[in-house]
CSV table of all heavy atoms in Angstrom, one decimal:
chain,number,residue,atom,x,y,z
A,269,VAL,N,-29.2,16.6,18.3
A,269,VAL,CA,-30.5,17.0,17.8
A,269,VAL,C,-30.4,18.5,17.6
A,269,VAL,O,-30.3,19.3,18.5
A,269,VAL,CB,-31.6,16.7,18.8
A,269,VAL,CG1,-32.9,17.2,18.3
A,269,VAL,CG2,-31.7,15.2,19.0
A,270,GLN,N,-30.6,18.9,16.3
A,270,GLN,CA,-30.5,20.3,16.1
A,270,GLN,C,-31.8,21.0,16.4
A,270,GLN,O,-32.9,20.6,15.8
A,270,GLN,CB,-30.1,20.5,14.6
A,270,GLN,CG,-28.6,20.1,14.4
A,270,GLN,CD,-28.3,19.9,12.9
A,270,GLN,OE1,-28.8,19.1,12.3
A,270,GLN,NE2,-27.4,20.8,12.4
A,271,ARG,N,-31.8,21.9,17.3
A,271,ARG,CA,-33.1,22.5,17.7
A,271,ARG,C,-33.9,23.2,16.6
A,271,ARG,O,-35.1,23.2,16.6
A,271,ARG,CB,-32.9,23.4,18.9
A,271,ARG,CG,-32.6,22.7,20.2
A,271,ARG,CD,-32.0,23.6,21.2
A,271,ARG,NE,-31.4,22.8,22.3
A,271,ARG,CZ,-32.1,22.5,23.4
A,271,ARG,NH1,-33.4,22.9,23.5
A,271,ARG,NH2,-31.6,21.7,24.3
A,272,GLU,N,-33.1,23.7,15.6
A,272,GLU,CA,-33.8,24.4,14.5
A,272,GLU,C,-34.7,23.4,13.8
A,272,GLU,O,-35.6,23.8,13.1
A,272,GLU,CB,-32.8,25.1,13.6
A,272,GLU,CG,-31.8,24.3,13.0
A,272,GLU,CD,-30.5,24.2,13.8
A,272,GLU,OE1,-30.5,24.3,15.0
A,272,GLU,OE2,-29.4,24.1,13.2
A,273,ARG,N,-34.4,22.1,13.9
A,273,ARG,CA,-35.2,21.1,13.2
A,273,ARG,C,-36.6,21.0,13.8
A,273,ARG,O,-37.5,20.4,13.2
A,273,ARG,CB,-34.6,19.7,13.3
A,273,ARG,CG,-33.2,19.6,12.7
A,273,ARG,CD,-33.2,19.6,11.2
A,273,ARG,NE,-31.8,19.8,10.7
A,273,ARG,CZ,-31.5,20.6,9.7
A,273,ARG,NH1,-32.4,21.2,9.0
A,273,ARG,NH2,-30.2,20.7,9.3
A,274,LEU,N,-36.8,21.6,15.0
A,274,LEU,CA,-38.1,21.5,15.6
A,274,LEU,C,-39.1,22.3,14.8
A,274,LEU,O,-40.3,22.0,14.9
A,274,LEU,CB,-38.0,22.1,17.1
A,274,LEU,CG,-37.4,21.2,18.1
A,274,LEU,CD1,-37.1,21.9,19.4
A,274,LEU,CD2,-38.3,20.0,18.4
A,275,LYS,N,-38.6,23.2,14.0
A,275,LYS,CA,-39.6,24.0,13.2
A,275,LYS,C,-40.2,23.2,12.1
A,275,LYS,O,-41.2,23.5,11.6
A,275,LYS,CB,-38.8,25.2,12.6
A,275,LYS,CG,-38.6,26.3,13.6
A,275,LYS,CD,-37.8,27.5,12.9
A,275,LYS,CE,-36.4,27.2,12.8
A,275,LYS,NZ,-35.6,28.2,12.1
A,276,GLN,N,-39.4,22.2,11.7
A,276,GLN,CA,-39.9,21.3,10.7
A,276,GLN,C,-40.7,20.1,11.3
A,276,GLN,O,-40.6,19.9,12.5
A,276,GLN,CB,-38.7,20.7,9.8
A,276,GLN,CG,-37.9,21.8,9.2
A,276,GLN,CD,-36.5,21.3,8.8
A,276,GLN,OE1,-36.2,20.2,8.9
A,276,GLN,NE2,-35.8,22.3,8.2
A,277,VAL,N,-41.4,19.4,10.5
A,277,VAL,CA,-42.2,18.3,11.1
A,277,VAL,C,-41.4,17.1,11.1
A,277,VAL,O,-41.5,16.2,10.2
A,277,VAL,CB,-43.5,18.1,10.2
A,277,VAL,CG1,-44.5,17.2,11.0
A,277,VAL,CG2,-44.2,19.4,9.9
A,278,LEU,N,-40.4,17.0,12.0
A,278,LEU,CA,-39.6,15.8,12.0
A,278,LEU,C,-39.7,14.9,13.2
A,278,LEU,O,-39.6,13.7,13.2
A,278,LEU,CB,-38.1,16.3,11.9
A,278,LEU,CG,-37.8,17.0,10.5
A,278,LEU,CD1,-36.5,17.6,10.5
A,278,LEU,CD2,-37.9,16.0,9.4
A,279,PHE,N,-40.0,15.5,14.4
A,279,PHE,CA,-40.4,14.8,15.6
A,279,PHE,C,-41.2,15.7,16.4
A,279,PHE,O,-41.1,17.0,16.3
A,279,PHE,CB,-39.2,14.2,16.3
A,279,PHE,CG,-38.1,15.2,16.6
A,279,PHE,CD1,-38.2,15.9,17.9
A,279,PHE,CD2,-37.1,15.5,15.7
A,279,PHE,CE1,-37.2,16.8,18.2
A,279,PHE,CE2,-36.1,16.4,16.1
A,279,PHE,CZ,-36.2,17.1,17.3
A,280,PRO,N,-42.0,15.2,17.4
A,280,PRO,CA,-43.0,16.0,18.1
A,280,PRO,C,-42.3,17.1,19.0
A,280,PRO,O,-42.6,18.3,18.9
A,280,PRO,CB,-43.8,15.1,18.9
A,280,PRO,CG,-43.6,13.7,18.2
A,280,PRO,CD,-42.2,13.8,17.7
A,281,ASP,N,-41.4,16.6,19.9
A,281,ASP,CA,-40.8,17.6,20.8
A,281,ASP,C,-39.5,16.9,21.4
A,281,ASP,O,-39.3,15.7,21.2
A,281,ASP,CB,-41.7,18.1,21.9
A,281,ASP,CG,-42.4,17.0,22.6
A,281,ASP,OD1,-41.7,16.0,23.0
A,281,ASP,OD2,-43.7,17.0,22.7
A,282,LEU,N,-38.8,17.7,22.1
A,282,LEU,CA,-37.5,17.2,22.7
A,282,LEU,C,-37.7,16.1,23.7
A,282,LEU,O,-37.0,15.1,23.8
A,282,LEU,CB,-36.7,18.3,23.3
A,282,LEU,CG,-36.2,19.4,22.3
A,282,LEU,CD1,-35.5,20.5,23.0
A,282,LEU,CD2,-35.2,18.7,21.2
A,283,ARG,N,-38.8,16.2,24.5
A,283,ARG,CA,-39.1,15.3,25.5
A,283,ARG,C,-39.3,13.9,24.9
A,283,ARG,O,-38.8,12.9,25.3
A,283,ARG,CB,-40.3,15.7,26.3
A,283,ARG,CG,-40.7,14.7,27.4
A,283,ARG,CD,-41.9,15.3,28.2
A,283,ARG,NE,-42.5,14.2,29.0
A,283,ARG,CZ,-43.4,13.4,28.6
A,283,ARG,NH1,-43.9,13.6,27.4
A,283,ARG,NH2,-43.9,12.5,29.4
A,284,GLU,N,-40.2,13.9,23.9
A,284,GLU,CA,-40.5,12.6,23.2
A,284,GLU,C,-39.2,12.1,22.6
A,284,GLU,O,-39.0,10.8,22.6
A,284,GLU,CB,-41.6,12.8,22.2
A,284,GLU,CG,-41.8,11.6,21.3
A,284,GLU,CD,-43.2,11.2,21.0
A,284,GLU,OE1,-44.1,11.6,21.8
A,284,GLU,OE2,-43.4,10.5,20.0
A,285,TYR,N,-38.4,12.9,22.0
A,285,TYR,CA,-37.2,12.5,21.4
A,285,TYR,C,-36.3,11.8,22.4
A,285,TYR,O,-35.8,10.7,22.2
A,285,TYR,CB,-36.4,13.6,20.7
A,285,TYR,CG,-35.2,13.1,19.9
A,285,TYR,CD1,-35.3,12.8,18.6
A,285,TYR,CD2,-34.0,12.8,20.6
A,285,TYR,CE1,-34.3,12.3,17.9
A,285,TYR,CE2,-32.9,12.3,19.8
A,285,TYR,CZ,-33.1,12.1,18.5
A,285,TYR,OH,-32.0,11.5,17.8
A,286,ALA,N,-36.1,12.4,23.6
A,286,ALA,CA,-35.3,11.9,24.7
A,286,ALA,C,-35.8,10.5,25.1
A,286,ALA,O,-35.0,9.6,25.3
A,286,ALA,CB,-35.3,12.9,25.8
A,287,ILE,N,-37.1,10.4,25.2
A,287,ILE,CA,-37.6,9.1,25.7
A,287,ILE,C,-37.5,8.0,24.7
A,287,ILE,O,-37.1,6.9,25.0
A,287,ILE,CB,-39.1,9.3,26.1
A,287,ILE,CG1,-39.2,10.3,27.3
A,287,ILE,CG2,-39.8,8.0,26.4
A,287,ILE,CD1,-40.6,10.7,27.6
A,288,ARG,N,-37.8,8.3,23.4
A,288,ARG,CA,-37.9,7.3,22.4
A,288,ARG,C,-36.5,7.0,21.8
A,288,ARG,O,-36.2,5.9,21.3
A,288,ARG,CB,-38.8,7.7,21.3
A,288,ARG,CG,-40.2,8.0,21.7
A,288,ARG,CD,-41.0,6.7,22.1
A,288,ARG,NE,-42.1,7.1,22.9
A,288,ARG,CZ,-42.9,6.2,23.6
A,288,ARG,NH1,-42.6,4.9,23.5
A,288,ARG,NH2,-43.9,6.6,24.3
A,289,PHE,N,-35.7,8.1,21.6
A,289,PHE,CA,-34.4,7.9,20.9
A,289,PHE,C,-33.2,8.3,21.6
A,289,PHE,O,-32.1,8.2,21.1
A,289,PHE,CB,-34.6,8.7,19.5
A,289,PHE,CG,-35.8,8.3,18.7
A,289,PHE,CD1,-36.9,9.1,18.7
A,289,PHE,CD2,-35.7,7.2,17.9
A,289,PHE,CE1,-38.0,8.7,18.0
A,289,PHE,CE2,-36.8,6.8,17.2
A,289,PHE,CZ,-38.0,7.6,17.2
A,290,GLY,N,-33.3,8.8,22.8
A,290,GLY,CA,-32.1,9.2,23.6
A,290,GLY,C,-31.4,8.0,24.1
A,290,GLY,O,-31.9,6.9,24.2
A,291,LEU,N,-30.1,8.2,24.4
A,291,LEU,CA,-29.2,7.1,24.9
A,291,LEU,C,-29.1,7.3,26.4
A,291,LEU,O,-28.8,8.4,26.9
A,291,LEU,CB,-27.9,7.1,24.2
A,291,LEU,CG,-27.9,6.9,22.7
A,291,LEU,CD1,-26.5,6.9,22.2
A,291,LEU,CD2,-28.6,5.5,22.4
Side-chain angles (χ1 to χ4, degrees):
Chain A
V269 173
Q270 291 163 296
R271 284 163 194 270
E272 57 268 31
R273 302 286 169 219
L274 284 168
K275 286 180 282 177
Q276 303 164 0
V277 191
L278 296 169
F279 55 90
D281 52 49
L282 293 176
R283 178 177 167 272
E284 171 139 338
Y285 187 94
I287 295 169
R288 304 286 159 190
F289 305 99
L291 296 180

